[in-house]
């Protein structure tokens, strides 16, 4: 193997998502089965020992693609030469806590990390923010990295997308592979809007196939939007393996592209499309080719969808105002 390894920096490497994620990256599932990787793990000082333990286990897997592991508590070191950065490390939401409560606690983490990315990452850096509140944390990191093209900062709504796929597949009795063109709009929060009006189920329009607006409004949308809270309630901890899986899906799609005739959902800086104010990091339907994503244009947005997109975007605007007031952007 002669190819230069891709540097993948993972923050919060000793956390529960980190533990579910690192082995999949090292096995080639993030970038491809022929792409060697070097892992750069960032943790806070008290968690370095735990990160070292995970690194020992990674060594013990003898992954052919894994070309090295570096561990640091210094963002300037961990992001040095990073080609892909997965910003997972944050304070997870605990029972009864809303994401808004986390803005201040997490803002202080993402500003210095954005600056370190600005100063040390590779020119082709791609950033995925997983740590909540993911959209606004991505905005904070992006604002601290003025030399990096804004579109390289993305937030994870692929978990919501995957959740919606399964709920719709169950309702319509088809495998998830038969569902295409689902969209998550807005924030990775309870206001998000999973949209099936442009989706297809085995080639037929999903909304027509379901033909049950009550199910859509009272079952599907709240089930998807509140799934994170339901997992916390059931497990006593936030989703981990499914979140890691979605992070792998997000980056894999960003690097390798979307399938013909389908799209995915990504939290990305708005260019003003669909009335979402420019600069907000909001979830959109995107296609990806050659490592670049594009918002799917020209979708007709009905009144049912418009109200829900607007509500989630309003929450994003409020979060942006809150972090602006805190001097984080
Ligand atoms: N976007 C999504 O779909 C989604 C889904 C699930 C979870 N999440 C979020 O992902 C985040 C991580 O979840 P988890 O379950 O792995 O949490 P966790 O508490 O198990 O792990 C978080 C890790 O981050 C580390 N950390 C804290 N501050 C750090 C810093 N400044 N630099 C580097 N590391 C730091 C902690 O030491 C800890 O090891 C949470 O914010 C959670 O809410 C997002
Ligand atoms: O809701 C949370 O904080 C957990 C996570 O974002 C999730 O969607 O599972």
């Amino acid at each position: 193997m002669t190819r230069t390894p891709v540097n993948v920096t993972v923050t919060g490497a000793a956390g529960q998502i980190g533990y579910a994620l690192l082995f999949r990256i090292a096995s080639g599932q993030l970038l491809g089965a022929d792409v060697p990787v070097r892992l750069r793990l960032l943790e806070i000082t008290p968690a370095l020992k735990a990160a070292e333990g995970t690194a020992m286990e990674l060594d013990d897997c003898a992954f052919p693609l894994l070309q090295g592991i570096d561990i640091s508590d210094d963002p300037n070191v961990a992001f040095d030469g990073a080609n892909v950065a997965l910003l997972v490390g944050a304070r997870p939401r605990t029972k009864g806590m809303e994401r808004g409560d986390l803005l201040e606690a997490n803002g202080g983490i993402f500003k210095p990390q954005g600056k370190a990315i600005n100063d040390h990452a590779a020119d082709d850096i791609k950033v995925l923010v997983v740590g909540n509140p993911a959209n606004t944390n991505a905005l904070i990191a992006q604002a601290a990295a003025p030399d990096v093209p804004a579109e390289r900062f993305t937030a994870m709504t692929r978990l919501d997308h995957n959740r919606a796929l399964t709920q719709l597949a169950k309702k319509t009795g088809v495998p998830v592979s038969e569902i295409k063109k689902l969209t998550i709009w807005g924030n990775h929060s309870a206001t998000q809007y999973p949209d099936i009006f442009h989706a297809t189920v085995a080639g037929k329009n999903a909304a027509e196939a379901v033909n049950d607006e009550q199910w859509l409004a009272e079952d599907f949308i709240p089930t998807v939007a509140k799934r994170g809270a339901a997992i916390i309630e059931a497990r006593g901890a936030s989703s981990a393996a499914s979140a890691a899986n979605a992070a792998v899906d997000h980056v894999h799609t960003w690097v390798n592209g979307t399938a013909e005739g389908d799209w995915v959902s990504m939290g990305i800086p708005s260019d003003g499309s669909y009335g979402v104010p420019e600069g907000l990091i909001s979830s959109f339907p995107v296609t990806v080719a050659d490592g670049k994503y594009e918002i799917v244009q020209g979708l007709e947005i009905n009144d049912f969808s418009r109200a829900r997109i607007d509500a989630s975007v309003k929450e994003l605007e409020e979060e942006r105002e809150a972090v602006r007031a805190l001097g984080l952007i």
Side-chain angles (χ1 to χ4, degrees):
M1 191 186 309
T2 51
R3 203 178 146 169
T4 314
V6 176
N7 289 322
V8 180
T9 301
V10 179
T11 78
Q16 52 155 5
I17 295 177
Y19 195 71
L21 180 61
L22 292 168
F23 297 85
R24 297 191 58 185
I25 299 172
S27 70
Q29 292 177 57
L30 187 80
L31 299 170
D34 55 350
V35 183
V37 292
R38 186 170 186 98
L39 283 169
R40 324 289 305 272
L41 313 185
L42 179 67
E43 257 297 349
I44 53 170
T45 315
L48 285 177
K49 196 161 165 34
E52 277 161 22
T54 305
M56 287 162 69
E57 284 203 69
L58 283 161
D59 279 344
D60 293 349
C61 293
F63 288 119
L65 293 171
L66 184 57
Q67 302 276 301
I69 310 169
D70 309 299
I71 306 171
S72 179
D73 56 3
D74 180 351
N76 295 315
V77 174
F79 290 113
D80 190 30
N83 306 105
V84 175
L86 301 172
L87 308 192
V88 179
R91 192 176 149 208
R93 187 160 67 115
T94 41
K95 251 184 189 176
M97 208 176 173
E98 281 307 319
R99 281 184 189 75
D101 302 335
L102 292 179
L103 280 173
E104 193 165 1
N106 282 315
I109 295 175
F110 288 87
K111 193 172 174 176
Q113 290 184 0
K115 183 165 181 355
I117 288 169
N118 189 68
D119 295 348
H120 301 286
D123 287 346
D124 66 349
I125 181 72
K126 286 180 162 66
V127 182
L128 168 62
V129 176
V130 175
N132 280 321
N135 301 55
T136 298
N137 286 341
L139 189 69
I140 293 167
Q142 182 209 71
D147 303 332
V148 177
E151 70 272 12
R152 304 287 187 76
F153 285 85
T154 66
M156 191 165 92
T157 53
R158 188 64 172 267
L159 178 54
D160 312 295
H161 184 97
N162 288 344
R163 288 167 171 164
L165 284 177
T166 299
Q167 294 304 319
L168 185 56
K170 281 187 176 172
K171 170 75 176 171
T172 53
V174 301
V176 284
S177 56
E178 291 289 343
I179 314 258
K180 314 278 183 214
K181 299 184 177 176
L182 252 173
T183 305
I184 304 294
W185 298 93
N187 200 2
H188 172 68
S189 77
T191 67
Q192 68 177 263
Y193 172 49
D195 177 357
I196 70 164
F197 285 100
H198 309 285
T200 57
V201 176
K204 290 200 203 119
N205 177 270
E208 285 166 23
V210 167
N211 193 25
D212 184 348
E213 196 166 310
Q214 190 177 0
W215 173 80
L216 187 60
E218 293 172 22
D219 193 337
F220 175 74
I221 294 171
T223 298
V224 174
K226 295 181 187 166
R227 188 71 163 184
I231 302 274
I232 292 170
E233 185 65 35
R235 291 182 81 230
S238 62
S239 60
S242 57
N245 178 68
V248 168
D249 284 351
H250 178 114
V251 174
H252 191 274
T253 301
W254 194 357
V255 172
N256 295 294
T258 37
E260 187 64 34
D262 202 1
W263 64 61
V264 296
S265 305
M266 285 171 76
I268 57 170
S270 176
D271 62 358
S273 294
Y274 297 103
V276 180
E278 208 174 328
L280 279 184
I281 298 196
S282 185
S283 188
F284 285 96
V286 298
T287 53
V288 186
D290 303 323
K292 291 199 167 67
Y293 58 77
E294 273 184 30
I295 297 175
V296 176
Q297 295 294 344
L299 300 177
E300 203 177 302
I301 306 296
N302 61 22
D303 290 346
F304 182 94
S305 298
R306 187 74 261 167
R308 287 166 173 81
I309 295 170
D310 288 350
S312 196
V313 166
K314 182 168 175 280
E315 182 184 54
L316 283 171
E317 287 186 290
E318 287 164 6
E319 289 185 12
R320 180 164 67 178
E321 280 319 303
V323 295
R324 205 171 260 152
L326 290 165
L328 292 166
I329 59 169

